[in-house]
Amino acid sequence: MTAQLIEASAGTGKTFRIANAVLRLVAEDGPRELDRDGVRIDRMVVLTFTKAATAELRERVRRRLREALNGLEAAEADAAWRARDAVLAQWVHDTPADRRGPRIVRLRRALRDFDLAGIATLHSLCQQILRHNALRSGWLLDATVEAELPDLVRDLATDFWTRLVHDADPSVLPALESAGVTLEGLAALARRAGDPELAIVPPFDSLGEPSEQLPDLAAWVAAKGALDAVWTPDRVWGALSDGAVVVHARDASQGLSHSMPRGGTTSKAWQVRKELNGPRPSPADALPDAFAAFAPEAIARATRPGQTPPRSPELDAMAAFLAAHAAVQPRVGAVIHGARHRLVQAVRDQLGARARDRSRRSYDDLLVDLRDALRRTGGRQGPLAQAVREQFHVALIDEFQDTDPIQWEIFRTLFADRRLLLVGDPKQAIYGFRGADVFTYRRAKSDPEVKPAPPMDTSYRADPELHRAVYALFARPMPFGLGGPALQPVAPAHTESRLVDDSRPPLQLRVMPSGPAPRQRWAPELIVRGWLADTVPLLVASDIGRELRRGGRLRDGELERDVGASDCAVLVRTNAQAQ
């Protein structure tokens, strides 16, 4: 047998599909001898990726089994019964009379044993497998499982930081901080480093053999301070504003291919000012392109033939800073990238041993431990895998797009040649939730043991006009980036808007104005982030208040009701923005 992969966009009924699959597996005759009497509820694995999703899935599956049992019992007694949906009604109707009895028995058994159902998160399944097969897996019987091991990770980062800066020159610390190399930054990197599948770029071998000691940064720090002290965008433009000396409009006929027009020059000068106001530039990083616009060679190229390139304290300070940066950046970058690689290697080499010495494991350790145990004991044909396969005959994986390489290796080893149903939306994998990797999804899709099933192509969530408008936004080549998933066609199930008598466009965009604003928060062609953080919540609140005051009506099933606050959703990129 082969695994099946179903692509299902948001709102197409993924959870409904899984609950219905469990119903059929439990109640119907199976294709193999061991499942001829249906699959027992404790012989299947139904996995998702969060505890909240697991609780919802358990309730949906239990309700589906109960509704199916009610329907079959009503049909057997020739009694009236109203199905929740057409799919269930059809399944009950299509059940042959001589199969109702066996299916009723199987459903009653499943509901009786439902607390034994393997509906769980992947981490809890891994822990169950490791503990129940401790002798085969080498699992620590007294291990304490925790979400993370922050104290051990921080200890490793602190030890590394101490070695890095113990004998360093005092000028090194500000440079490290400006490059994001702080104790907190290293601790954050160490927390991510526990995933052995994550790679750091550039690769360590591309750095040559970087020194572990930073070069003297005193000249760089002084040059940056001098530039910061004098750089004023208006004065920079003043030094370059003489059109008789500096080309402000390109003239190919005279061989003048480089120019410094007022708008672009002032914009770049403000970008430099913004960078100087922040924690960067760093001696470890390449400078933003705006700095190069004021390099001596760039100004010389824009100077008219026969004229002397203009000079000013600002331009001289920029030239000195660019020279100082070019002298240290390659060496500092190599040292810092080398340090990060060494920290990652230290975490991967030492964290597991420290945790085992204390009989502690993290959720991520559960995945790695099971993956390694399966490898060590012979893979699919080994005793550990065989024990698991004897216990579980079927596996269904919800939100499969959230799978990372370690998880897919576990799924593939244990279940890919059996009855395995994978349901996911690769478009969501591009966000990297829970370590998701769109390339893992693509590898699974192309695996010879995985058979693509027809996608779920009907959306039950969005109104038709909004559905079409959103799809129009993504109607372009590679809408999710190079190597990203394609946008599969999905049709709306709703035939009309649920907003009553609302003729407004279903999708509206707000374009921020480019007019005047307080000088300290605005620059030409540049909206400062702090201003947006203050203003956007006010605009959103105003929009919601206006919507609620309009007194709009919403079709809710067969009823109509007022539009309420709970009908409004605000989506943002980060938790901090939401707060």
Side-chain angles (χ1 to χ4, degrees), residues 65 81 90 138 176 283 335 373 490 562:
L65 298 179
W81 172 72
Q90 190 67 45
L176 289 173
V335 170
V490 175
D562 293 337

Side-chain angles (χ1 to χ4, degrees), residues 160-180:
F160 189 86
W161 172 256
T162 301
R163 292 194 301 271
L164 184 66
V165 302
H166 183 268
D167 297 320
D169 185 89
S171 66
V172 165
L173 290 179
L176 289 173
E177 291 176 357
S178 68

Side-chain angles (χ1 to χ4, degrees), residues 70-81 100:
N70 291 342
L72 289 175
E73 289 178 336
E76 188 76 351
D78 199 20
W81 172 72
R100 288 184 197 140

Side-chain angles (χ1 to χ4, degrees), residues 52-233:
T54 298
E56 179 189 1
L57 187 58
R58 288 183 70 89
E59 181 55 34
R60 294 277 292 273
V61 170
R62 188 197 300 266
R63 186 166 65 234
R64 194 66 174 174
L65 298 179
R66 169 57 63 187
E67 291 168 349
L69 176 60
N70 291 342
L72 289 175
E73 289 178 336
E76 188 76 351
D78 199 20
W81 172 72
R82 183 177 181 180
R84 175 183 291 267
D85 56 78
V87 173
L88 183 58
Q90 190 67 45
W91 183 81
V92 171
H93 178 270
D94 291 344
T95 298
D98 64 339
R99 303 311 301 159
R100 288 184 197 140
R103 292 186 179 184
I104 288 172
V105 171
R106 296 166 189 172
L107 287 170
R108 287 174 176 168
R109 181 181 63 196
L111 289 166
R112 181 197 68 205
D113 298 338
F114 196 79
D115 288 343
L116 302 177
I119 304 175
T121 64
L122 175 60
H123 295 104
S124 63
L125 174 69
C126 290
Q127 185 175 0
Q128 176 186 339
I129 291 173
L130 290 166
R131 281 185 170 168
H132 287 186
N133 299 275
L135 296 179
R136 297 186 181 96
S137 66
W139 177 255
L140 300 170
L141 290 174
D142 61 344
T144 301
V145 179
E146 307 167 47
E148 295 179 335
L149 304 172
D151 54 326
L152 299 184
V153 172
R154 189 172 182 85
D155 286 348
L156 279 167
T158 301
D159 293 347
F160 189 86
W161 172 256
T162 301
R163 292 194 301 271
L164 184 66
V165 302
H166 183 268
D167 297 320
D169 185 89
S171 66
V172 165
L173 290 179
L176 289 173
E177 291 176 357
S178 68
V181 183
T182 62
L183 176 55
E184 293 302 322
L186 291 175
L189 175 61
R191 287 193 294 272
R192 297 294 306 279
D195 182 351
E197 300 295 331
L198 290 179
I200 296 182
V201 292
F204 187 79
D205 55 11
S206 71
L207 305 176
E209 294 186 5
S211 168
E212 296 188 17
Q213 298 297 320
L214 287 166
D216 184 3
L217 298 176
W220 184 92
V221 172
K224 181 190 174 186
L227 179 62
D228 186 24
V230 301
W231 191 263
T232 305

Side-chain angles (χ1 to χ4, degrees), residues 99-427:
R99 303 311 301 159
R100 288 184 197 140
R103 292 186 179 184
I104 288 172
V105 171
R106 296 166 189 172
L107 287 170
R108 287 174 176 168
R109 181 181 63 196
L111 289 166
R112 181 197 68 205
D113 298 338
F114 196 79
D115 288 343
L116 302 177
I119 304 175
T121 64
L122 175 60
H123 295 104
S124 63
L125 174 69
C126 290
Q127 185 175 0
Q128 176 186 339
I129 291 173
L130 290 166
R131 281 185 170 168
H132 287 186
N133 299 275
L135 296 179
R136 297 186 181 96
S137 66
W139 177 255
L140 300 170
L141 290 174
D142 61 344
T144 301
V145 179
E146 307 167 47
E148 295 179 335
L149 304 172
D151 54 326
L152 299 184
V153 172
R154 189 172 182 85
D155 286 348
L156 279 167
T158 301
D159 293 347
F160 189 86
W161 172 256
T162 301
R163 292 194 301 271
L164 184 66
V165 302
H166 183 268
D167 297 320
D169 185 89
S171 66
V172 165
L173 290 179
L176 289 173
E177 291 176 357
S178 68
V181 183
T182 62
L183 176 55
E184 293 302 322
L186 291 175
L189 175 61
R191 287 193 294 272
R192 297 294 306 279
D195 182 351
E197 300 295 331
L198 290 179
I200 296 182
V201 292
F204 187 79
D205 55 11
S206 71
L207 305 176
E209 294 186 5
S211 168
E212 296 188 17
Q213 298 297 320
L214 287 166
D216 184 3
L217 298 176
W220 184 92
V221 172
K224 181 190 174 186
L227 179 62
D228 186 24
V230 301
W231 191 263
T232 305
D234 289 345
R235 291 179 184 172
V236 172
W237 171 246
L240 301 170
S241 61
D242 188 349
V245 177
V246 177
V247 179
H248 292 162
R250 297 185 183 185
D251 187 348
S253 65
Q254 298 185 29
L256 303 176
S257 60
H258 194 72
S259 62
M260 304 193 80
R262 179 186 180 93
T265 303
T266 305
S267 173
K268 289 183 174 66
W270 274 107
Q271 291 176 44
V272 171
R273 181 68 269 168
K274 178 187 175 184
E275 292 291 330
L276 293 172
N277 288 346
R280 280 171 161 73
S282 155
D285 301 326
L287 293 172
D289 293 342
F291 284 76
F294 303 101
E297 55 271 24
I299 295 172
R301 288 200 306 272
T303 301
R304 295 185 180 278
Q307 298 292 330
T308 301
R311 295 186 61 182
S312 73
E314 296 80 14
L315 298 177
D316 289 347
M318 176 62 81
F321 174 68
L322 291 174
H325 190 80
V328 302
Q329 188 266 332
R331 290 183 290 161
V332 173
V335 170
I336 289 177
H337 283 304
R340 287 171 173 152
H341 275 280
R342 284 190 288 272
L343 172 62
V344 169
Q345 197 58 50
V347 171
R348 292 175 177 175
D349 290 345
Q350 301 174 31
L351 180 59
R354 291 193 183 192
R356 286 190 187 90
D357 288 346
R358 295 162 176 79
S359 294
R360 297 171 62 187
R361 310 304 289 151
S362 70
Y363 287 164
D364 287 341
D365 289 336
L366 295 174
L367 301 175
V368 175
D369 288 349
L370 180 54
R371 190 271 314 270
D372 291 349
L374 288 169
R375 288 179 176 178
R376 190 172 57 250
T377 57
R380 185 177 293 170
Q381 304 306 320
L384 175 58
Q386 288 301 311
V388 176
R389 287 152 64 85
E390 288 176 11
Q391 181 181 2
F392 299 116
H393 301 165
V394 178
L396 298 89
I397 316 298
D398 191 15
E399 305 291 358
F400 181 65
Q401 75 278 349
D402 290 343
T403 300
D404 65 25
I406 296 176
Q407 294 161 358
W408 171 234
E409 183 176 339
I410 292 171
F411 295 152
R412 189 181 186 283
T413 300
L414 294 176
F415 304 118
D417 64 337
R418 292 201 164 188
R419 300 172 76 179
L420 171 63
L421 178 66
L422 311 170
V423 182
D425 180 6
K427 298 185 295 300

